């Protein structure tokens, strides 16, 4: 079995795809307990990475929307 990819180097899309695979495997209930725990831990790390990437993207969009001078009357971008 190959070594899992370094999460910090993953794109949002790659991390999300792996997280979705982990969720599907955990929901199937077919993995042994130790494997399930290992997958859950990696899933939690992937989730945190995805949240971090989303927050960074939100801040970049907000910076673009606000402009360099923080133009008055411009609302920050909202994602939700």
């Amino acid at each position: 079995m190959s070594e899992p990819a370094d999460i910090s180097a993953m794109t949002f899309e790659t991390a999300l795809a792996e997280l979705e695979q982990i969720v599907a495997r955990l929901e199937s209930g077919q993995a042994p307990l130790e494997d399930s725990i290992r997958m859950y831990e990696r899933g939690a790390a992937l989730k945190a990475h995805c949240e971090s990437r989303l927050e960074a993207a939100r801040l970049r969009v907000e910076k673009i929307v606000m402009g360099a001078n923080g133009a008055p009357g411009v609302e920050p971008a909202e994602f939700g």
Side-chain angles (χ1 to χ4, degrees):
M1 187 171 191
S2 65
E3 198 61 31
D6 178 21
I7 292 172
S8 65
M10 289 181 160
T11 65
F12 173 81
E13 293 80 8
T14 303
L16 184 60
E18 184 177 339
L19 180 57
E20 289 171 343
Q21 290 173 352
I22 288 172
V23 169
R25 289 184 63 201
L26 288 172
E27 286 178 343
S28 76
Q30 299 300 311
L33 179 60
E34 286 302 315
D35 289 346
S36 293
I37 292 169
R38 224 177 351 268
M39 285 187 290
Y40 186 86
E41 289 171 340
R42 183 155 176 92
L46 287 163
K47 177 183 175 283
H49 178 70
C50 286
E51 288 172 343
S52 174
R53 290 283 191 157
L54 281 174
E55 178 63 11
R58 184 191 67 78
L59 291 173
R60 286 178 63 194
V61 169
E62 188 172 303
K63 188 175 183 179
I64 293 167
V65 170
M66 292 296 289
N69 299 326
V74 177
E75 295 288 322
E78 288 188 32
F79 301 95

